[in-house]
Amino acid sequence: MERIPILQMGPFLLVTIQVDMHDQLAMTLQEDLTTRIVKSRSKGVLIDISALEMVDSFIGRMLANIASMSRILDAETLIVGMQPAVAITLVELGMSLSGVKTALNVERGMKLLQNAVHVAS
């Protein structure tokens, strides 16, 4: 079964999506990530989607769901590297990803995540 790697970086988890997301892969990522958050007691999740050139409404909902589930599990989520075409598509689909924090790149996202976790603790 195809899976997206989830890397531990100190208190955070890093997910870099390098393949085209299809529905089953997104659902597997959601399950794997929530399990890892609980097992590792991570306080933050950074999802790099810079390799994604397009998304559909299902993938957009899955990203929003992952962020919501992470928040319920006491972990902040940041999505980084969103391509302009992906942002345009999400808005055109009426998906504002409310409650999902974003940053332009991994470096900025990691700083925001560190600040968010530091402020919360």
Side-chain angles (χ1 to χ4, degrees), residues 17-56:
I17 300 172
Q18 297 289 324
V19 296
D20 285 333
M21 289 283 280
H22 52 79
D23 296 357
Q24 182 59 47
L25 185 58
M27 292 177 64
T28 301
L29 173 61
Q30 178 181 284
E31 187 174 322
D32 290 349
L33 191 53
T34 52
T35 300
R36 274 295 288 278
I37 290 169
V38 172
K39 279 186 179 176
S40 65
R41 298 181 182 191
S42 293
K43 291 295 183 187
V45 176
L46 193 137
I47 302 174
D48 179 6
I49 63 167
S50 59
L52 287 183
E53 295 180 4
M54 55 190 259
V55 295
D56 59 16

Side-chain angles (χ1 to χ4, degrees), residues 13 28 45 51 57 68-70 73 81-82 91 102 106-107 113 117-118:
L13 296 175
T28 301
V45 176
S57 61
S68 296
M69 291 173 193
S70 298
L73 295 171
M82 188 177 298
V91 170
T102 60
V106 172
E107 184 179 355
L113 200 54
V117 171
H118 178 71

